[in-house]
Amino acid sequence: MAVFKGITPEQIELICIGQYAGVDEVGRGPLVGNVVTAAVILDPNNPIVGLNDSKKLSEKKRELLFNQIQEKALSVSVGAATPIEIDELNILHATMLAMQRAVAGLSIKPSSVLVDGNRCPDFGMQSHAIIKGDGLIDAISAASIIAKVIRDREMEQLAQQYPQYGFEKHKGYPTKAHFEALANYGVLAEHRKSFRPVREAM
């Protein structure tokens, strides 16, 4: 595994060969819900315009691109690790597990895996970690969009179950409103008990 920081266009060209998968995660920081990962193999003959780091796109644009990725990509797979797994393994190892699940779920075996960030789990094949890769490599951008939309939808479903927590607004992140909800209404089964603010609220 190689880790690339400040990757050059020439290096990108060298590693983006064959049917490689881009992988990214969403939801390491929240206090509640799954950490969600996605793996995407794009079709070079069916490009998607406007791919970028999901955090830099509006919700409307993400939804639009989400549909295009589902239609045009050669393969898309989503992985997750639950709050129970996060509490058992810790958030880093749970994220690595969720990434392995996403890659294992692809309908095509990728030639290599490119992960956003500074580390990769063992995928049983060549893989590279690319710091800020979600803004540099389209397949990773696509994975970040898929993971973000899926996790936001999960938070909206949780908001319908527990409207008093405001999950549709803060998406489970440690905001003032979330702390207030924890203090007023307590800890849910979906909360990550190993995270300090949740532990303290218990």
Side-chain angles (χ1 to χ4, degrees):
M1 182 200 87
V3 178
F4 293 94
K5 185 179 180 182
I7 193 169
T8 65
E10 291 76 23
Q11 286 173 317
I12 290 173
E13 211 170 295
L14 282 173
I15 60 171
C16 291
I17 48 173
Q19 290 185 330
Y20 60 92
V23 173
D24 203 1
E25 56 71 30
V26 171
R28 281 177 66 165
L31 308 177
V32 71
N34 296 336
V35 60
V36 176
T37 59
V40 178
I41 302 174
L42 292 174
D43 182 352
N45 301 315
N46 203 358
I48 300 165
V49 178
L51 292 171
N52 201 347
D53 171 5
S54 63
K55 295 185 290 295
K56 294 178 179 170
L57 300 168
S58 68
E59 186 179 350
K60 188 178 175 186
K61 183 71 173 167
R62 283 197 300 267
E63 288 283 349
L64 192 72
L65 287 166
F66 178 89
N67 293 332
Q68 287 187 35
I69 296 160
Q70 300 278 16
E71 287 165 17
K72 294 184 172 185
L74 295 175
S75 186
V76 177
S77 173
V78 175
T82 65
I84 290 170
E85 289 173 321
I86 292 166
D87 291 339
E88 284 175 358
L89 300 170
N90 81 34
I91 186 60
L92 173 65
H93 290 106
T95 302
M96 297 294 115
L97 175 63
M99 286 182 175
Q100 289 171 321
R101 286 170 173 165
V103 170
L106 288 164
S107 58
I108 298 166
K109 187 174 181 183
S111 51
S112 63
V113 183
L114 310 180
V115 176
D116 178 56
N118 62 2
R119 65 180 71 204
C120 306
D122 181 7
F123 294 111
M125 64 188 78
Q126 187 180 50
S127 59
H128 303 297
I130 296 111
I131 293 165
K132 298 194 186 301
D134 51 3
L136 296 167
I137 293 170
D138 279 355
I140 302 178
S141 301
S144 83
I145 291 163
I146 295 289
K148 172 73 174 153
V149 171
I150 293 286
R151 191 175 193 283
D152 282 358
R153 288 178 182 178
E154 287 181 1
M155 285 296 103
E156 279 150 23
Q157 286 171 350
L158 205 60
Q160 287 176 0
Q161 277 180 268
Y162 309 105
Q164 67 273 35
Y165 285 82
F167 292 129
E168 74 286 356
K169 293 186 184 126
H170 55 68
K171 303 295 191 280
Y173 281 88
T175 64
K176 187 183 174 196
H178 195 173
F179 291 146
E180 285 171 0
L182 274 170
N184 291 331
Y185 308 112
V187 173
L188 299 170
E190 292 84 356
H191 273 106
R192 302 171 181 180
K193 315 294 189 295
S194 58
F195 281 38
R196 195 174 71 186
V198 179
R199 208 167 57 237
E200 287 173 355
M202 292 165 72

